[in-house]
């Protein structure tokens, strides 16, 4: 058997008629920049999430920049975040000249551990940036309490978690500003780069709309230093079609995750944990194994692709050497980064495929243990 990690081609075939029609409609109008489809998608994103404002932008990375620019994050400000995430989370903080301040992760959810945040707050701290890793929001109750106490903003990096919930609220609505990404491999992906920011604050929304088009207030009048941060009309048309099917796709991801969990009961594996307050969008189904390299090689030989999100925590990345962190600073993130492995995950995995992956993964953990002895 040969397993497809994300089944993007399969998904295109599934929605091909609708997607082709939507894309051709844009081509016929040639309204490539800020066409009607952009506004349509934004309205539908608002309806789906319950956020008062959804503003599309050029990527999940630029969404984080827009959020921080709107909140006037400046050089020397500090933002507390997790070291166990994609580089964009902390890179954008540093790009604005601010300082990413890392806090170790929770052993079960792999999200930022709220009990370790307070000791990192200083006079310079302006915001907390939790990431909803693998699709699951962080503990937003605890983070919200800390933010209230110290008057900090919350920016949620929801690049992996569109459609997830915390206390039945969509994770696009749990921060002062939440972001997402429409990168093709994310749960709701376009055919290139795209993203969005969400907020209930009218002022922040207005500002982010302006920042997205070079800080302009009206044509060729620039109120702020902004960016070229628009999402293409074509990409909005694609996401709008996929959004119509997204509730169903999310439910299918949830089913796939449950089937994996049932099939993977083994002492050699640590399976994903979703807190009772949260639901996950299941961007990834990631398990912990010993001897990860060997397991990965064996699975590859069986036609099972896997990925590692992420092999090196951000505090140990060369680009952040200037922050002065060292090995051992965040022991949970460090051990998880050595053991974590993501299995093929998409809404369309068949029962046979799930069983095949599960059987070979369990076998691979046994073999790799024998190899090691
Ligand atoms: C993918 C991702 C981003 C960046 O999104 P892009 O659309 O690729 O720019 C940011 N943060 C996290 C946690 C991500 O997974």
């Amino acid at each position: 058997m040969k397993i497809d990690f994300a089944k993007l081609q399969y998904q295109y075939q599934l929605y091909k008629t609708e997607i082709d029609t939507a894309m051709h409609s844009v081509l016929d109008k040639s309204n490539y920049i800020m066409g009607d489809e952009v506004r349509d998608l934004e309205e539908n994103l608002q309806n789906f999430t319950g956020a008062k404002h959804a503003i599309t932008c050029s990527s999940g990375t630029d969404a984080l920049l827009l959020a921080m620019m709107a909140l006037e994050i400046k050089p020397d400000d500090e933002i507390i975040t997790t070291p166990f995430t994609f580089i964009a989370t902390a890179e954008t903080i540093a790009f604005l000249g601010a300082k990413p301040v890392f806090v170790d992760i929770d052993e079960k959810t792999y999200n930022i551990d709220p009990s370790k945040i307070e000791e990192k707050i200083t006079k310079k701290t302006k915001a907390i940036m939790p990431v909803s890793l693998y699709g699951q929001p962080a503990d937003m109750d605890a983070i919200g309490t800390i933010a209230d106490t110290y008057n900090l903003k919350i920016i949620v990096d929801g690049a992996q978690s569109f459609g997830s919930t915390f206390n039945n609220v969509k994770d696009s609505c749990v921060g002062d500003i939440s972001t997402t990404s429409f990168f093709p491999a994310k749960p709701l992906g376009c055919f290139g780069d795209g993203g969005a920011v969400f907020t209930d604050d009218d002022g922040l929304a207005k500002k982010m709309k302006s920042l997205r088009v070079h800080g302009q207030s009206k044509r060729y009048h620039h109120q702020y230093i902004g960016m070229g941060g628009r999402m293409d009309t074509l990409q909005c048309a694609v996401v709008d079609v996929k959004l119509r099917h997204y509730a169903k796709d999310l439910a299918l991801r949830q089913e796939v995750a449950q089937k994996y969990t049932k099939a993977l009961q083994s002492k050699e594996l640590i399976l994903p944990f979703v807190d009772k307050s949260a639901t996950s969008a299941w961007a990834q189904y990631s398990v912990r194994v010993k001897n990860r390299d060997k397991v990965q090689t064996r699975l590859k030989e069986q036609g099972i692709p896997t990925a590692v999100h992420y092999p090196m925590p951000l505090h140990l990345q060369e680009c952040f050497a200037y922050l002065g962190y060292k090995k051992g600073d965040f022991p949970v993130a460090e051990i998880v980064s050595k053991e974590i492995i993501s299995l093929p995950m998409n809404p369309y995995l068949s029962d046979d495929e799930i069983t095949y992956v599960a059987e070979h993964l369990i076998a691979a953990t046994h073999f790799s243990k024998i190899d090691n002895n």
Side-chain angles (χ1 to χ4, degrees):
M1 214 185 268
K2 201 161 170 28
I3 311 277
D4 185 344
F5 196 89
K7 287 205 184 177
L8 293 181
Q9 289 166 313
Y10 180 95
Q11 189 190 45
Y12 172 54
Q13 291 307 320
L14 207 57
Y15 305 140
K16 182 175 167 54
T17 318
E18 280 174 87
I19 289 174
D20 287 1
T21 304
M23 291 183 81
H24 277 114
S25 157
V26 174
L27 296 179
D28 284 337
K29 290 184 270 186
S30 301
N31 56 351
Y32 302 119
I33 300 294
M34 296 308 278
D36 295 339
E37 288 76 0
V38 179
R39 191 58 236 160
D40 292 347
L41 173 62
E42 290 174 344
E43 268 175 34
N44 291 329
L45 288 169
Q46 285 160 199
N47 292 336
F48 187 90
T49 58
K52 188 166 180 199
H53 303 279
I55 300 158
T56 58
C57 63
S58 35
S59 68
T61 303
D62 289 341
L64 292 169
L65 283 176
L66 281 175
M68 286 186 279
M69 287 159 79
L71 292 169
E72 295 178 20
I73 299 302
K74 295 198 173 53
D76 289 334
D77 287 348
E78 294 177 3
I79 298 189
I80 292 175
T81 190
T82 165
F84 192 57
T85 176
F86 181 58
I87 184 73
T89 311
E91 176 193 36
T92 48
I93 297 170
F95 185 81
L96 292 175
K99 184 175 169 190
V101 175
F102 296 120
V103 165
D104 208 355
I105 55 171
D106 176 81
E107 212 154 351
K108 282 155 87 180
T109 63
Y110 313 139
N111 280 325
I112 191 168
D113 182 347
S115 73
K116 294 176 179 154
I117 290 178
E118 264 181 294
E119 63 200 62
K120 295 294 178 70
I121 294 174
T122 72
K123 282 199 187 67
K124 294 180 175 176
T125 309
K126 290 288 154 56
I128 305 172
M129 189 184 285
V131 177
S132 311
L133 197 74
Y134 306 148
Q136 174 178 204
D139 181 349
M140 298 311 298
D141 275 340
I143 293 168
T145 304
I146 297 167
D148 285 348
T149 308
Y150 295 91
N151 197 20
L152 305 175
K153 298 294 182 192
I154 298 176
I155 302 163
V156 175
D157 182 347
Q160 304 182 6
S161 58
F162 185 76
S164 68
T165 62
F166 189 82
N167 288 342
N168 297 315
V169 175
K170 289 279 190 322
D171 102 322
S172 304
C173 305
V174 295
D176 291 283
I177 301 176
S178 294
T179 69
T180 200
S181 164
F182 302 125
F183 183 81
K186 309 285 179 178
L188 180 62
C190 60
F191 292 170
D193 279 307
V197 289
F198 303 87
T199 186
D200 284 345
D201 184 299
D202 296 340
L204 288 175
K206 189 164 177 235
K207 197 163 173 188
M208 288 191 286
K209 273 187 192 166
S210 166
L211 289 167
R212 160 175 83 170
V213 277
H214 307 285
Q216 90 183 2
S217 45
K218 56 183 191 211
R219 198 163 211 187
Y220 303 130
H221 289 260
H222 302 273
Q223 187 177 3
Y224 310 108
I225 305 289
M227 64 196 282
R230 294 163 304 227
M231 183 163 160
D232 297 345
T233 309
L234 265 173
Q235 300 296 352
C236 288
V238 171
V239 174
D240 209 20
V241 171
K242 289 206 202 179
L243 184 58
R244 288 180 216 148
H245 301 280
Y246 192 63
K248 182 181 65 201
D249 281 353
L250 266 183
L252 289 173
R253 281 181 184 271
Q254 173 68 22
E255 269 178 39
V256 169
Q258 276 164 343
K259 288 174 184 168
Y260 263 142
T261 297
K262 201 160 159 228
L264 285 170
Q265 296 300 322
S266 153
K267 332 191 261 312
E268 307 300 330
L269 296 169
I270 300 176
L271 302 183
F273 170 85
V274 177
D275 190 86
K276 60 183 183 322
S277 305
T279 62
S280 178
W282 293 108
Q284 306 297 341
Y285 188 97
S286 307
V287 304
R288 282 167 69 183
V289 295
K290 306 283 183 209
N291 305 321
R292 180 180 62 204
D293 290 355
K294 284 181 187 162
V295 168
Q296 207 171 14
T297 307
R298 274 201 165 263
L299 290 177
K300 193 173 171 199
E301 286 164 6
Q302 306 296 333
I304 301 169
T306 55
V308 175
H309 308 99
Y310 297 90
M312 193 195 284
L314 300 190
H315 67 288
L316 301 178
Q317 295 286 349
E318 192 179 344
C319 66
F320 288 133
Y322 72 96
L323 294 172
Y325 290 106
K326 58 185 188 312
K327 249 199 179 103
D329 283 346
F330 305 109
V332 185
E334 288 170 33
I335 184 76
V336 175
S337 68
K338 289 197 175 71
E339 297 181 353
I340 202 83
I341 182 169
S342 300
L343 306 183
M345 185 58 182
N346 60 72
Y348 320 112
L349 280 176
S350 70
D351 288 359
D352 284 350
E353 288 175 318
I354 293 167
T355 308
Y356 182 83
V357 172
E359 279 172 2
H360 284 288
L361 174 57
I362 289 174
T365 57
H366 289 299
F367 279 122
S368 70
K369 217 167 87 178
I370 295 160
D371 286 355
N372 227 37
N373 289 341

